Amino acid sequence: MQLPVQSQSTLYAEPWEAAAGPEDLVEVARAAERAGFDYLASCDHVAVPRRLAAAMSTVWYDPVATLAHLAAVTERVRLLSHVAVVGLRHPLITAKQYATVDHLSGGRLILGVGAGHVREEFEALGVDFARRGALLDECVDALRAALGQEEFPSHHGTYYRFEGLGQRPRPAQGSVPLWVGGSSPAAVRRAALKGDGWLPQGDPRDRLPGQIARIRELREKAGIEEQPFVIGAITEPLHVGTPAWDVGHRTLTGTPEALAESLRAYRAMGVHRIQVRFRSRGRTELIDQMAAFGAEVAPRLD
């Protein structure tokens, strides 16, 4: 699941999150670990322009700092950047930050990357917005080198070049999983050919089979279909049980078995990981929903 509080877009944030803070993040992270969740995710925006602030808000915690903070208060749950806009930074900076998180967490990092969509953010940092796709393509290759086990990684590309520069600590994992986010044709192709996994963005259920088929086709043509690859999906909002308040018409509600039956459809499509979000009126209700899901719904998904 994506963490609450750390990003507060009006598309998904609950009203109670506006007054929440670090203590709430810690308690939710610990609850996720108790409930058996696979990963926690944190978003990335450096700065939000005034024209988008009403919809996006300006509350976007830094994912490196957030994941490192939560690594110290958890032991098992994995830590995902969903997604890091890595083209805004030199890959050696990104590698240094996330390799350190992986080292400190004992190898629990998943690096999710995306192209970004806020022009002003790129312009303020001196990065060409029009070339963000090409930058990300090369950045993935550069990060593959910089997040490997070589103390002195090297990369020679169009936008980034480095060699003979040592970086330690190295990641605790032998290889940091790199998932690509986005649902545009370019993002799907990038995920299929360069990633270890795909994180769709906003795809409804009926669109997922076609996207998954496209990924498989691309990987088969490139001769890499046998390599491990994780297909993700973001589910509809959830509420375990019968809600006593208006949770919205898109929210899936009902008994644990009814929810599990609905969510098993994702597995039938070929999805390996579902990212869930619970409607809630406060931290206590959110944690109760997470606990109910972990105890009563998740076992029915196998």
Side-chain angles (χ1 to χ4, degrees):
M1 62 175 285
Q2 186 184 115
L3 287 157
V5 182
Q6 51 80 37
S7 68
Q8 296 190 23
S9 166
T10 58
L11 291 176
Y12 49 74
E14 300 285 8
W16 67 268
E17 296 179 47
E23 180 183 346
D24 301 282
L25 276 172
V26 168
E27 291 305 313
V28 170
R30 287 172 169 162
E33 185 149 275
R34 290 194 302 270
F37 280 67
D38 184 56
Y39 68 70
L40 295 170
S42 182
C43 303
D44 182 25
H45 276 293
V46 172
V48 176
R50 195 178 297 275
R51 71 178 177 87
L52 297 175
M56 291 180 62
S57 92
T58 58
V59 179
W60 294 83
Y61 286 33
D62 178 77
V64 177
T66 302
L67 296 177
H69 180 65
L70 297 180
V73 298
T74 57
E75 297 179 354
R76 180 203 60 80
V77 68
R78 303 204 74 178
L79 308 162
L80 167 69
S81 59
H82 186 189
V83 286
V85 186
V86 291
L88 293 174
R89 308 163 182 90
H90 193 284
L92 284 180
I93 295 175
T94 299
K96 167 60 71 175
Q97 293 174 317
Y98 283 103
T100 302
V101 171
D102 193 68
H103 176 77
L104 292 172
S105 69
R108 290 189 278 146
L109 175 71
I110 304 169
L111 181 57
V113 302
H117 66 95
V118 179
R119 178 182 293 274
E120 292 93 332
E121 201 170 27
F122 282 76
E123 292 173 347
L125 297 174
V127 182
D128 189 346
F129 180 76
R131 294 185 179 179
R132 67 192 184 281
L135 285 171
L136 178 55
D137 281 338
E138 186 175 327
C139 204
V140 170
D141 295 335
L143 286 169
R144 287 281 190 201
L147 285 171
Q149 290 302 302
E150 291 294 328
E151 181 180 354
F152 293 88
S154 64
H155 173 81
H156 301 277
T158 302
Y159 304 107
Y160 310 110
R161 297 177 181 85
F162 51 84
E163 66 176 330
L165 297 168
Q167 285 191 329
R168 295 182 70 184
R170 305 310 304 152
Q173 300 180 73
S175 178
V176 172
L178 199 155
W179 295 358
V180 176
S183 294
S184 69
V188 169
R189 182 177 184 84
R190 186 177 296 118
L193 300 181
K194 291 181 173 290
D196 300 310
W198 175 54
L199 294 162
Q201 187 66 41
D203 282 299
R205 287 196 191 202
D206 60 359
R207 193 179 176 209
L208 281 172
Q211 296 277 59
I212 294 169
R214 177 61 175 157
I215 287 173
R216 289 173 173 164
E217 177 188 11
L218 288 166
R219 290 176 63 79
E220 182 179 358
K221 286 183 177 178
I224 56 176
E225 74 274 16
E226 296 302 323
Q227 297 179 15
F229 189 84
V230 176
I231 293 174
I234 302 174
T235 74
E236 302 85 349
L238 306 177
H239 186 94
V240 183
T242 302
W245 56 290
D246 183 7
V247 295
H249 70 279
R250 289 188 61 250
T251 302
L252 299 179
T253 66
T255 66
E257 178 53 37
L259 290 178
E261 181 179 2
S262 178
L263 295 175
R264 284 194 293 264
Y266 285 100
R267 185 178 62 184
M269 297 177 198
V271 171
H272 305 114
R273 298 283 191 280
I274 52 170
Q275 183 169 300
V276 297
R277 180 171 69 84
F278 303 96
R279 295 302 316 276
S280 62
R281 293 166 292 182
R283 186 182 84 189
T284 299
E285 184 171 29
L286 173 59
I287 289 174
D288 287 347
Q289 283 285 305
M290 293 166 63
F293 186 89
E296 302 175 35
V297 180
R300 291 176 161 91
L301 298 179
D302 293 331

